[in-house]
Amino acid sequence: MDWIKQIPKAELHLHIEGTLEPELMFAIAQRNHVKIPYSSVEEVRNAYRFSCLQDFLDIYYAGAGVLLYEEDFYDLTMAYFQHCAEENIVHTEIMFDPQTHTQRGISFETVIMGIQKAREEAQEKWGISSLLIMSFLRHLTQEEAFQTLTESLPYKQYITAVGLDSSEKGNPPSKFKEVYQAAIKEGYIPVAHAGEEGPADYIEEALEDLQIVRIDHGNNCLTNPSLVQKLVMQKMALTVCPFSNLELKVVEDLKQHPAKKMLDLGLKVTINSDDPAYFGGYLTQNYIQLADALQLSKEEVATMVKNSFQYSLLSPEKKENYIQRVEDFLEQHQ
Ligand code: ADE
Ligand code: ZN
């Protein structure tokens, strides 16, 4: 399965705050004189046992509390790009949660400029392209999302899309209809988490009310056959996250993961790591262990790799270019 590591691939669902490895958390906490409730890296890793999304989110937001300065966001993002370089992730669409930081008194500028510096360096050093998805926290109000949208405008040149994440149940997409309309007016592309823990109705709402062009997770579409049919017809891609689904108990076992069923139904599946520091592995491991658990063929894996470029937010020319690189790789590695 080494070819999965080597094949050029894109990642479309990745929270930069979810790449904070315990080692880096400790190093940053120390230099910033921030107290964390763990005494060792092992203790941190042991705390990473979740029974649902909210369990994880509580720990994830607490972990992000060590990030104070531009340099911290730069170091965090560079560490992720280092993984990309090692795994031949040649394009990545990075989500960031400004409100996780602005609510603690960190400026929007500090967050985005640290990330931006790393993006430029990764492009220069490794030729990795990336874009940013600014995600609104759905447990907060729409008014707070509007405030974040306003704060983002001076940095619009760095941001491609808006997303919606955090606690899904009880926070339907319709809650954010107006702020998405405003974001779209500003030129941001709309995507959203939907149908991870929430019902299929939330996916329909996200399509209708938020006008999304891609669904983050989307697992629960499978409970509604007419919705599946619609997604297939519209070629509406899903950013599926196997390790995340396993760790957050969306699935009980990778062997029961619905990715193969989704592919068989004609859905446009992409594979992603979501929050790799918390869920036990980066993108390549997600592919390898999923392929192993579901006995996926090389063609099925290759389809998902090509989907990762096809359903990216890149221009048609760039997509074509990358897909050609994938085809060339496959030809040379028959
Ligand atoms: N924030 C980070 N990871 C998330 C996930 N899997 N679902 C919702 N919000 C998140
Ligand atoms: Zn996510």
Side-chain angles (χ1 to χ4, degrees):
M1 297 251 210
D2 206 44
W3 69 276
I4 297 180
K5 185 173 179 186
Q6 290 166 25
I7 195 168
K9 49 197 164 297
E11 177 145 65
L12 307 182
H13 184 157
L14 179 283
H15 302 264
I16 200 61
E17 293 88 354
T19 67
L20 181 58
E21 292 287 348
E23 290 79 1
L24 187 58
M25 193 193 292
F26 265 93
I28 295 179
Q30 199 157 31
R31 76 187 184 205
N32 289 349
H33 310 291
V34 174
K35 278 209 167 70
I36 52 174
Y38 309 106
S39 59
S40 68
V41 167
E42 292 69 45
E43 210 178 300
V44 182
R45 290 206 194 280
N46 280 333
Y48 292 175
R49 288 179 220 284
F50 317 111
S51 60
C52 62
L53 175 59
Q54 193 59 52
D55 249 20
F56 154 70
L57 289 170
D58 293 342
I59 288 185
Y60 161 87
Y61 295 132
V66 302
L67 305 166
L68 301 186
Y69 305 110
E70 190 177 303
E71 184 191 6
D72 304 333
F73 291 92
Y74 166 83
D75 286 347
L76 173 70
T77 311
M78 277 313 281
Y80 168 62
F81 278 123
Q82 181 78 47
H83 279 279
C84 292
E86 284 161 15
E87 300 189 11
N88 216 12
I89 298 169
V90 296
H91 174 69
T92 178
E93 307 198 338
I94 298 175
M95 296 175 195
F96 72 113
D97 290 339
Q99 290 160 301
T100 298
H101 315 296
T102 53
Q103 287 226 323
R104 303 182 284 118
I106 313 297
S107 75
F108 194 100
E109 180 182 17
T110 296
V111 178
I112 197 154
M113 293 318 294
I115 297 172
Q116 181 58 24
K117 245 190 211 159
R119 288 182 58 206
E120 287 167 17
E121 200 169 316
Q123 178 74 63
E124 181 122 322
K125 195 168 171 184
W126 294 298
I128 299 172
S129 60
S130 64
L131 54 80
L132 285 183
I133 301 171
M134 174 175 74
S135 299
F136 300 122
L137 298 180
R138 69 201 305 158
H139 67 273
L140 301 179
T141 64
Q142 174 166 252
E143 198 182 324
E144 287 165 302
F146 262 113
Q147 203 175 323
T148 300
L149 178 64
T150 302
E151 282 179 84
S152 78
L153 295 181
Y155 309 97
K156 208 162 124 177
Q157 57 183 312
Y158 303 133
I159 303 167
T160 299
V162 288
L164 187 63
D165 62 6
S166 191
S167 322
E168 189 179 11
K169 285 182 182 165
N171 293 299
S174 56
K175 182 176 160 186
F176 296 92
K177 184 171 176 171
E178 289 79 16
V179 75
Y180 263 66
Q181 276 172 352
I184 293 166
K185 262 205 192 126
E186 294 292 347
Y188 294 126
I189 299 171
V191 302
H193 284 52
E196 178 187 16
E197 277 192 348
D201 290 358
Y202 281 19
I203 300 175
E204 297 203 292
E205 241 184 51
L207 294 168
E208 286 284 313
D209 289 354
L210 310 185
Q211 294 293 302
I212 59 168
V213 301
R214 195 167 70 199
I215 301 164
D216 294 315
H217 296 291
N219 299 46
N220 286 338
C221 74
L222 294 173
T223 63
N224 181 340
S226 68
L227 173 60
V228 168
Q229 211 174 7
K230 184 160 119 185
L231 300 180
V232 171
M233 294 269 291
Q234 293 182 353
K235 297 195 167 126
M236 182 62 62
L238 309 180
T239 62
V240 171
C241 305
F243 283 6
S244 166
N245 292 161
L246 184 65
E247 293 303 316
L248 301 185
K249 310 289 186 285
V250 170
V251 298
E252 270 187 21
D253 193 298
L254 271 191
K255 284 190 167 64
Q256 285 159 28
H257 195 278
K260 181 163 169 56
K261 186 174 174 195
M262 289 170 164
L263 283 171
D264 291 344
L265 286 165
L267 288 163
K268 303 302 180 190
V269 179
T270 66
I271 298 299
N272 305 275
S273 70
D274 203 5
D275 301 285
Y278 291 87
F279 300 149
Y282 286 77
L283 184 56
T284 301
Q285 279 309 312
N286 271 268
Y287 271 106
I288 289 176
Q289 292 194 31
L290 184 77
D292 186 46
L294 300 180
Q295 296 291 294
L296 298 178
S297 66
K298 190 170 180 180
E299 285 67 33
E300 286 169 322
V301 174
T303 294
M304 295 191 290
V305 170
K306 281 186 247 177
N307 284 348
S308 73
F309 294 107
Q310 186 62 45
Y311 300 101
S312 71
L313 302 177
L314 289 167
S315 68
E317 296 75 32
K318 286 183 178 160
K319 287 182 188 181
E320 206 173 302
N321 237 308
Y322 275 128
I323 292 170
Q324 191 56 52
R325 276 173 67 179
V326 174
E327 300 282 11
D328 292 347
F329 178 94
L330 289 167
E331 192 126 316
Q332 288 158 18
H333 297 78
Q334 299 249 13

